[in-house]
Amino acid sequence: MRRPLARLFAWLSSFPTGWLVLVARHGARLPAGSLGWPAGLRGGLLLAAASAGLLAVAGRPRLRRPLAALTAGATLSAVGVASAAPAWPPPGWSMVVCDVGQGDGMVGSVGTGTAAVIDTGPDPGSIDRCLRALGVRRIPLLLLTHLHADHVEGVPGVLRGRVVDEAQTGPLDDPPDEHARVTGWLAAAGVALHRVSVGEQRSFGTADWTVLGPSAAFHGRPSDPNNSSVVLRLSLRGFTVLATGDVEWQAQRALLSAGTDVRADVLKVPHHVSDHQDPGFLDSVGAALAVTSVGRGNSYGHPSPVTLDRVRADGMRSYRTDDNGDVALVAGPRGITATARRGRGTPAAGPDNATPDQRLRASSSCGPAHRAGGQIAGSALGFVPAAGSGVAHPATQDRSARSGGGRAIRSTAAGGLSRLAADPGGAARAPPVPGRARPAVTTPRPADMGRLLPWSTPTC
Ligand SMILES: [Zn+2]
């Protein structure tokens, strides 16, 4: 008898309170529509105190008007914030370049809550933050392009609370100390580490990829780990991406010499946009959009203005994590929309704010001493859905036909296009490339080689 009576009272009380639940439920789905509040007894006591204070103020006629004005102001501000801060991640995202500071960390969506991860950045916190914001809980494949610390020290963050089915890496186990750390982390999590092989094709949900290189490890130079990076072309929902790790001009030329088709819609610019590039390689990708993962104020001089100029000259719109924070790409019927999560990316660390352990590893393995514990949280900057037609999935349409069919790229941010367009003048100047024919594979011009090539500077 007690339970039916309780149900009756609960049912009756649902009439006056139901609309509150309805408003709260729908309001919370809006961007910035919810406010953090402590849970448990502390939260309850805080709420009770706030309510009592409010009632006490409302009971005094002199204070009612100021209170009403304050409430109205707060409501208007909240509406303003909600409309200026779009949802993250943008609906239908295909790829996100995570702001991991000075390093690489990319996420390709393969289904709801599932993503392939390429590199992990230099610390666990940044990549974990990025994956959490994207709602990624399962990772069918974690690819480590090479074993420099700015690409693998975040492995524990990827493993944090997620299922990783398999990990892969390239042909060179160098530097050895990083190899040992990575294999230790993966083994502890029960994740097998395999080597990739050229030509290998994998398919996961809405994505597939092909390994393009390297055909063999590089030996005999300080930049061997970089040049031995795995290069692959991903086909995601709506566009293709060339993931390049830190390959430098030697590996880039090797790919071209082997006649490898490196064309893609989006280029992850190799090696944090250093000047160690083969211009012919950049030309040959023929991408419409370039993304760069780089830490603000790093000591390597990344990104190189010369390489940025080349990227712009090739007609690519350029987005950088040091300026844009996390960058998401969404394919629409008429183009790719780039959306930034926050306006300023994570700064790279100077020697002063690196831990002794980081400094030690950095000295031998291009480590995270060049990445600060910069901002972790950030609010969405903005996005506008792409509209129109043009980008088609490579599985369903011939690539040359696609390039002739016209593509458009839209970039959005609360601060406007100029804020998202990372390269001063560059991205804003670079026009969309409707109808641009893909360039033929070319060899570097001697003059370019002189400007961009040989060096013996640190190559992390
Ligand atoms: Zn790197």
Side-chain angles (χ1 to χ4, degrees):
M1 186 62 195
R2 276 184 195 165
R3 286 182 69 181
L5 201 61
R7 276 187 189 160
L8 176 67
F9 284 126
W11 179 70
L12 286 173
S13 66
S14 71
F15 288 99
T17 58
W19 69 275
L20 285 172
V21 174
L22 198 70
V23 170
R25 186 172 294 155
H26 288 280
R29 285 180 190 158
L30 293 172
S34 58
L35 184 71
W37 193 268
L41 181 65
R42 199 159 64 97
L45 290 174
L46 197 62
L47 187 63
S51 302
L54 212 60
L55 281 172
V57 171
R60 301 186 178 192
R62 270 198 313 161
L63 295 176
R64 273 185 201 157
R65 279 196 177 177
L67 181 66
L70 198 68
T71 307
T75 305
L76 286 174
S77 302
V79 168
V81 168
S83 55
W88 184 268
W93 65 276
S94 289
M95 187 180 105
V96 169
V97 183
C98 297
D99 175 17
V100 292
Q102 180 67 11
D104 267 8
M106 284 193 343
V107 184
S109 173
V110 304
T112 306
T114 312
V117 174
I118 302 173
D119 288 332
T120 70
D123 74 275
S126 295
I127 191 72
D128 180 41
R129 168 200 61 79
C130 185
L131 291 170
R132 250 187 299 122
L134 297 173
V136 173
R137 297 179 302 278
R138 186 179 193 102
I139 296 165
L141 187 57
L142 166 64
L143 180 90
L144 305 171
T145 59
H146 64 298
L147 297 174
H148 273 159
D150 58 326
H151 296 248
V152 303
E153 278 287 320
V155 165
V158 172
L159 297 170
R160 199 175 286 164
R162 296 180 188 88
V163 176
V164 178
D165 295 335
E166 181 188 352
Q168 284 190 319
T169 191
L172 191 64
D173 297 339
D174 188 19
D177 59 335
E178 286 297 341
H179 179 254
R181 291 166 67 80
V182 167
T183 51
W185 289 322
L186 293 173
V191 179
L193 178 65
H194 299 129
R195 287 195 202 285
V196 298
S197 53
V198 172
E200 179 179 340
Q201 294 184 315
R202 305 293 291 267
S203 186
F204 305 99
T206 56
D208 56 78
W209 70 35
T210 305
V211 176
L212 305 180
S215 52
F218 282 72
H219 291 287
R221 288 167 179 264
S223 56
D224 287 338
N226 285 346
N227 276 317
S228 300
S229 293
V230 178
V231 176
L232 64 155
R233 181 169 45 240
L234 298 97
S235 295
L236 301 171
R237 243 181 341 225
F239 55 86
T240 53
V241 182
L242 189 72
T244 56
D246 281 357
V247 287
E248 301 181 10
W249 64 272
Q250 296 95 332
Q252 296 170 10
R253 293 183 77 183
L255 282 166
L256 296 186
S257 299
T260 307
D261 180 2
V262 295
R263 292 175 300 175
D265 299 311
V266 177
L267 170 66
K268 199 293 290 182
V269 184
H271 195 212
H272 321 291
V273 193
S274 75
D275 54 4
H276 301 215
Q277 313 286 340
D278 181 331
F281 178 81
L282 300 177
D283 298 347
S284 300
V285 178
L289 192 150
V291 288
T292 297
S293 189
V294 61
R296 201 149 42 85
N298 67 80
S299 57
Y300 299 111
H302 300 161
S304 152
V306 177
T307 302
L308 284 176
D309 280 347
R310 189 72 186 207
V311 164
R312 291 172 201 148
D314 279 337
M316 300 180 220
R317 280 181 183 266
S318 173
Y319 301 100
R320 291 160 38 183
T321 57
D322 60 340
D323 280 346
N324 303 137
D326 298 334
V327 176
L329 302 182
V330 183
R334 271 206 336 221
I336 305 170
T337 300
T339 303
R341 189 171 185 216
R342 62 168 184 255
R344 298 193 77 202
T346 301
D352 293 342
N353 50 9
T355 65
D357 184 40
Q358 286 174 331
R359 283 188 212 116
L360 185 68
R361 284 206 302 283
S363 65
S364 64
S365 61
C366 298
H370 301 273
R371 191 252 171 224
Q375 315 100 305
I376 293 299
S379 60
L381 289 181
F383 88 93
V384 173
S389 63
V391 172
H393 195 280
T396 59
Q397 194 170 344
D398 175 74
R399 291 187 54 77
S400 57
R402 278 189 298 123
S403 65
R407 288 176 298 171
I409 297 171
R410 296 192 173 195
S411 53
T412 58
L417 174 63
S418 60
R419 193 166 179 200
L420 181 64
D423 308 325
R429 273 204 316 270
V433 287
R436 181 165 69 94
R438 289 190 177 280
V441 174
T442 57
T443 52
R445 295 188 290 273
D448 294 328
M449 299 289 285
R451 285 177 65 203
L452 291 182
L453 298 185
W455 27 85
S456 55
T457 52
T459 60
C460 293

